[in-house]
Amino acid sequence: MADITLHILKPSVNNLTVRIFVRAAGLDFEEVDVWGKTGETDFLERNPARLTPMLEERGLPRGTLWESCAIMSYLCNVNGIERLYPSDPAQRAMVDSAMFYLIGTLYPLVARATYPVLHFPQYPGEVGSSDADEGLKAGAQQAAMEAIAQPLEAYRRFFLEGTRFIGGDHVSIADIRLAATLEFLEAIDYPLPDWARDYMASMQQELGDAYAEPAADVRGYVASVKTPA
Protein backbone atom coordinates (compact mmCIF):
# COMPACT_ATOMS: atom_id res chain seq x y z
CA MET A 1 0.00 0.00 0.00
CA ALA A 2 1.28 3.48 -0.91
CA ASP A 3 2.62 5.79 1.80
CA ILE A 4 0.35 8.61 0.68
CA THR A 5 -2.95 8.88 -1.15
CA LEU A 6 -3.91 11.79 -3.39
CA HIS A 7 -7.55 12.47 -4.08
CA ILE A 8 -7.61 14.32 -7.39
CA LEU A 9 -9.58 15.83 -10.26
CA LYS A 10 -7.59 15.24 -13.43
CA PRO A 11 -8.69 18.34 -15.43
CA SER A 12 -7.55 20.75 -12.68
CA VAL A 13 -4.21 22.59 -12.72
CA ASN A 14 -4.35 22.86 -8.93
CA ASN A 15 -4.38 19.07 -8.88
CA LEU A 16 -1.83 18.92 -11.69
CA THR A 17 0.60 20.78 -9.45
CA VAL A 18 0.72 18.01 -6.85
CA ARG A 19 0.50 15.24 -9.45
CA ILE A 20 3.67 16.59 -11.06
CA PHE A 21 5.32 17.06 -7.69
CA VAL A 22 4.92 13.52 -6.33
CA ARG A 23 6.31 12.10 -9.56
CA ALA A 24 9.24 14.54 -9.67
CA ALA A 25 9.97 13.86 -6.00
CA GLY A 26 9.95 10.08 -6.53
CA LEU A 27 7.43 9.48 -3.75
CA ASP A 28 5.37 6.35 -3.28
CA PHE A 29 1.76 7.40 -3.86
CA GLU A 30 -1.68 6.30 -4.93
CA GLU A 31 -4.11 8.50 -6.86
CA VAL A 32 -7.87 8.34 -6.40
CA ASP A 33 -10.01 10.21 -8.92
CA VAL A 34 -12.86 11.85 -6.98
CA TRP A 35 -14.62 13.51 -9.91
CA GLY A 36 -18.27 13.92 -8.82
CA LYS A 37 -17.56 12.63 -5.32
CA THR A 38 -16.36 15.69 -3.36
CA GLY A 39 -19.86 16.35 -2.05
CA GLU A 40 -20.32 12.85 -0.68
CA THR A 41 -20.45 12.29 3.08
CA ASP A 42 -17.26 10.21 3.23
CA PHE A 43 -15.26 12.94 1.49
CA LEU A 44 -16.79 15.79 3.49
CA GLU A 45 -16.02 14.08 6.79
CA ARG A 46 -12.34 14.20 5.92
CA ASN A 47 -12.41 17.45 3.97
CA PRO A 48 -15.22 19.90 4.80
CA ALA A 49 -13.72 22.41 2.35
CA ARG A 50 -14.49 20.01 -0.54
CA LEU A 51 -11.18 20.97 -2.12
CA THR A 52 -8.79 18.92 -4.20
CA PRO A 53 -6.08 17.88 -4.35
CA MET A 54 -6.40 16.25 -0.95
CA LEU A 55 -3.49 14.44 0.63
CA GLU A 56 -4.24 11.54 2.93
CA GLU A 57 -1.34 10.55 5.16
CA ARG A 58 -1.03 9.11 8.66
CA GLY A 59 1.39 11.74 9.95
CA LEU A 60 -1.07 14.61 9.57
CA PRO A 61 -2.92 15.89 12.65
CA ARG A 62 -6.31 15.36 10.95
CA GLY A 63 -5.14 12.68 8.56
CA THR A 64 -5.72 14.88 5.51
CA LEU A 65 -4.46 18.12 3.99
CA TRP A 66 -5.60 20.20 1.07
CA GLU A 67 -4.17 23.18 -0.91
CA SER A 68 -1.48 22.27 -3.42
CA CYS A 69 1.30 24.51 -2.06
CA ALA A 70 0.72 23.31 1.50
CA ILE A 71 0.84 19.69 0.34
CA MET A 72 4.10 20.16 -1.57
CA SER A 73 5.86 22.03 1.23
CA TYR A 74 4.70 19.48 3.83
CA LEU A 75 5.91 16.50 1.81
CA CYS A 76 9.24 18.22 1.12
CA ASN A 77 9.72 18.91 4.82
CA VAL A 78 8.77 15.39 5.89
CA ASN A 79 10.92 13.71 3.27
CA GLY A 80 13.84 16.15 3.26
CA ILE A 81 13.45 17.03 -0.42
CA GLU A 82 15.94 19.90 -0.43
CA ARG A 83 16.26 20.15 -4.20
CA LEU A 84 12.60 21.15 -4.64
CA TYR A 85 12.18 23.23 -1.47
CA PRO A 86 15.50 24.57 -0.14
CA SER A 87 15.89 24.89 3.61
CA ASP A 88 18.07 28.01 3.35
CA PRO A 89 15.80 30.78 4.70
CA ALA A 90 16.51 33.28 1.91
CA GLN A 91 16.07 30.76 -0.90
CA ARG A 92 12.94 29.34 0.70
CA ALA A 93 11.52 32.84 1.09
CA MET A 94 11.75 33.36 -2.67
CA VAL A 95 9.95 30.07 -3.32
CA ASP A 96 7.25 30.88 -0.76
CA SER A 97 6.81 34.40 -2.12
CA ALA A 98 6.39 33.13 -5.66
CA MET A 99 3.76 30.60 -4.54
CA PHE A 100 1.81 33.06 -2.41
CA TYR A 101 1.88 35.65 -5.19
CA LEU A 102 0.42 33.07 -7.54
CA ILE A 103 -2.33 32.07 -5.11
CA GLY A 104 -3.28 35.62 -4.19
CA THR A 105 -2.78 37.50 -7.46
CA LEU A 106 -2.14 35.47 -10.61
CA TYR A 107 -4.45 32.50 -10.15
CA PRO A 108 -7.61 34.53 -9.42
CA LEU A 109 -7.07 36.31 -12.75
CA VAL A 110 -6.43 33.03 -14.56
CA ALA A 111 -9.61 31.59 -13.04
CA ARG A 112 -11.74 34.58 -14.09
CA ALA A 113 -10.31 34.43 -17.60
CA THR A 114 -10.47 30.68 -18.18
CA TYR A 115 -13.23 29.15 -16.04
CA PRO A 116 -16.05 30.29 -18.38
CA VAL A 117 -14.39 28.38 -21.24
CA LEU A 118 -13.50 25.40 -19.06
CA HIS A 119 -17.08 25.16 -17.74
CA PHE A 120 -15.86 25.39 -14.15
CA PRO A 121 -18.08 27.16 -11.58
CA GLN A 122 -16.88 30.65 -10.75
CA TYR A 123 -16.52 32.00 -7.24
CA PRO A 124 -19.51 33.51 -5.43
CA GLY A 125 -19.50 37.30 -5.66
CA GLU A 126 -17.72 37.31 -9.02
CA VAL A 127 -19.39 38.87 -12.06
CA GLY A 128 -19.22 35.51 -13.81
CA SER A 129 -21.32 33.80 -11.16
CA SER A 130 -23.88 36.62 -10.89
CA ASP A 131 -27.11 37.40 -12.70
CA ALA A 132 -25.33 40.02 -14.83
CA ASP A 133 -25.98 39.89 -18.55
CA GLU A 134 -23.62 38.10 -20.89
CA GLY A 135 -22.05 41.35 -22.05
CA LEU A 136 -20.94 42.26 -18.54
CA LYS A 137 -19.66 38.76 -17.95
CA ALA A 138 -17.67 38.84 -21.18
CA GLY A 139 -16.26 42.23 -20.22
CA ALA A 140 -15.14 40.94 -16.83
CA GLN A 141 -13.52 37.93 -18.43
CA GLN A 142 -11.67 40.16 -20.91
CA ALA A 143 -10.50 42.48 -18.13
CA ALA A 144 -9.08 39.53 -16.21
CA MET A 145 -7.34 38.26 -19.30
CA GLU A 146 -5.71 41.63 -19.95
CA ALA A 147 -4.62 41.91 -16.30
CA ILE A 148 -2.64 38.66 -16.44
CA ALA A 149 0.24 40.38 -18.23
CA GLN A 150 1.29 42.40 -15.18
CA PRO A 151 1.88 39.52 -12.71
CA LEU A 152 3.53 37.50 -15.48
CA GLU A 153 5.97 40.35 -16.01
CA ALA A 154 6.59 40.45 -12.26
CA TYR A 155 7.58 36.79 -12.40
CA ARG A 156 9.98 37.47 -15.24
CA ARG A 157 11.60 40.51 -13.66
CA PHE A 158 11.73 39.46 -10.03
CA PHE A 159 11.70 35.68 -9.76
CA LEU A 160 13.27 34.60 -13.05
CA GLU A 161 15.67 37.38 -14.06
CA GLY A 162 19.05 35.79 -14.71
CA THR A 163 17.93 32.32 -13.60
CA ARG A 164 16.47 29.34 -15.41
CA PHE A 165 13.91 28.61 -12.69
CA ILE A 166 12.49 30.30 -9.60
CA GLY A 167 14.61 27.85 -7.65
CA GLY A 168 17.74 28.98 -9.52
CA ASP A 169 19.39 26.26 -11.58
CA HIS A 170 16.91 23.66 -10.37
CA VAL A 171 13.13 23.32 -10.41
CA SER A 172 11.37 24.23 -7.16
CA ILE A 173 7.84 23.64 -5.97
CA ALA A 174 7.09 27.25 -6.94
CA ASP A 175 8.11 26.44 -10.52
CA ILE A 176 5.79 23.44 -10.55
CA ARG A 177 2.91 25.60 -9.31
CA LEU A 178 3.54 28.32 -11.89
CA ALA A 179 4.00 26.02 -14.88
CA ALA A 180 0.88 24.03 -14.03
CA THR A 181 -1.17 27.23 -13.78
CA LEU A 182 0.02 28.46 -17.16
CA GLU A 183 -1.36 25.29 -18.76
CA PHE A 184 -4.91 26.67 -18.37
CA LEU A 185 -4.14 29.72 -20.51
CA GLU A 186 -4.25 27.53 -23.61
CA ALA A 187 -8.02 27.39 -23.10
CA ILE A 188 -8.30 31.04 -24.12
CA ASP A 189 -5.40 31.02 -26.60
CA TYR A 190 -3.61 33.48 -24.36
CA PRO A 191 -0.58 35.01 -26.12
CA LEU A 192 2.10 33.92 -23.67
CA PRO A 193 5.33 35.88 -24.07
CA ASP A 194 8.26 33.99 -25.54
CA TRP A 195 10.05 33.74 -22.22
CA ALA A 196 7.04 32.02 -20.64
CA ARG A 197 6.78 29.49 -23.45
CA ASP A 198 10.51 28.79 -23.15
CA TYR A 199 10.08 28.44 -19.39
CA MET A 200 7.31 25.88 -19.76
CA ALA A 201 9.35 23.95 -22.30
CA SER A 202 12.29 23.94 -19.88
CA MET A 203 10.06 22.64 -17.11
CA GLN A 204 8.87 19.72 -19.21
CA GLN A 205 12.39 19.01 -20.43
CA GLU A 206 13.75 19.07 -16.88
CA LEU A 207 11.01 16.89 -15.36
CA GLY A 208 10.27 14.65 -18.34
CA ASP A 209 7.41 12.19 -17.87
CA ALA A 210 6.84 13.46 -14.32
CA TYR A 211 5.47 16.59 -15.99
CA ALA A 212 4.21 15.31 -19.33
CA GLU A 213 2.13 12.38 -18.07
CA PRO A 214 -0.22 14.28 -15.71
CA ALA A 215 -0.16 17.38 -17.93
CA ALA A 216 -1.67 15.28 -20.72
CA ASP A 217 -4.89 15.01 -18.70
CA VAL A 218 -5.22 18.79 -18.40
CA ARG A 219 -4.26 19.34 -22.03
CA GLY A 220 -6.76 16.76 -23.16
CA TYR A 221 -9.53 18.43 -21.19
CA VAL A 222 -8.60 21.89 -22.49
CA ALA A 223 -8.60 20.57 -26.06
CA SER A 224 -12.01 18.98 -25.53
CA VAL A 225 -13.67 22.19 -24.38
CA LYS A 226 -12.16 24.12 -27.27
CA THR A 227 -13.43 21.65 -29.85
CA PRO A 228 -16.84 22.64 -31.31
CA ALA A 229 -19.61 20.20 -30.42
Side-chain angles (χ1 to χ4, degrees):
M1 191 170 179
D3 295 332
I4 60 177
T5 300
L6 289 177
H7 300 260
I8 62 160
L9 303 177
K10 291 183 177 180
S12 162
V13 294
N14 298 315
N15 288 258
L16 174 60
T17 298
V18 176
R19 297 184 71 206
I20 293 170
F21 166 78
V22 292
R23 289 163 171 80
L27 298 177
D28 181 25
F29 67 94
E30 176 188 4
E31 286 185 339
V32 178
D33 191 340
V34 291
W35 185 267
K37 298 178 181 178
T38 58
E40 295 181 356
T41 301
D42 179 63
F43 190 90
L44 290 172
E45 286 178 348
R46 291 175 290 167
N47 182 344
R50 295 184 60 172
L51 293 176
T52 59
M54 180 179 78
L55 170 68
E56 192 170 10
E57 198 245 26
R58 291 183 179 180
L60 291 162
R62 300 285 186 179
T64 62
L65 181 69
W66 58 86
E67 296 292 353
S68 61
C69 295
I71 290 172
M72 291 191 297
S73 59
Y74 168 75
L75 290 175
C76 281
N77 288 334
V78 167
N79 295 283
I81 308 174
E82 177 83 12
R83 72 184 188 280
L84 293 175
Y85 194 40
S87 58
D88 174 80
Q91 293 178 341
R92 177 166 286 197
M94 287 291 281
V95 171
D96 287 340
S97 179
M99 291 195 298
F100 297 158
Y101 185 54
L102 188 145
I103 294 167
T105 301
L106 177 59
Y107 192 78
L109 296 174
V110 171
R112 291 171 191 142
T114 63
Y115 278 19
V117 177
L118 295 164
H119 309 305
F120 288 177
Q122 296 185 69
Y123 300 108
E126 299 277 358
V127 175
S129 65
S130 73
D131 294 329
D133 63 42
E134 293 305 313
L136 286 173
K137 290 181 179 181
Q141 181 185 7
Q142 181 65 30
M145 190 164 103
E146 292 172 359
I148 288 170
Q150 192 279 325
L152 279 184
E153 178 64 6
Y155 273 100
R156 184 192 70 81
R157 292 178 57 187
F158 187 78
F159 294 109
L160 291 163
E161 182 70 35
T163 67
R164 190 179 180 201
F165 302 111
I166 294 168
D169 293 332
H170 305 285
V171 170
S172 71
I173 58 176
D175 291 292
I176 294 173
R177 189 67 185 90
L178 175 59
T181 297
L182 297 181
E183 291 282 346
F184 260 177
L185 293 179
E186 181 63 26
I188 55 173
D189 296 319
Y190 184 84
L192 277 175
D194 290 343
W195 72 263
R197 293 199 176 277
D198 291 343
Y199 171 76
M200 293 180 72
S202 293
M203 284 290 295
Q204 182 157 326
Q205 180 181 21
E206 187 78 4
L207 298 180
D209 288 343
Y211 188 102
E213 178 195 328
D217 290 321
V218 169
R219 292 169 182 172
Y221 181 77
V222 168
S224 73
V225 299
K226 292 176 66 178
T227 301

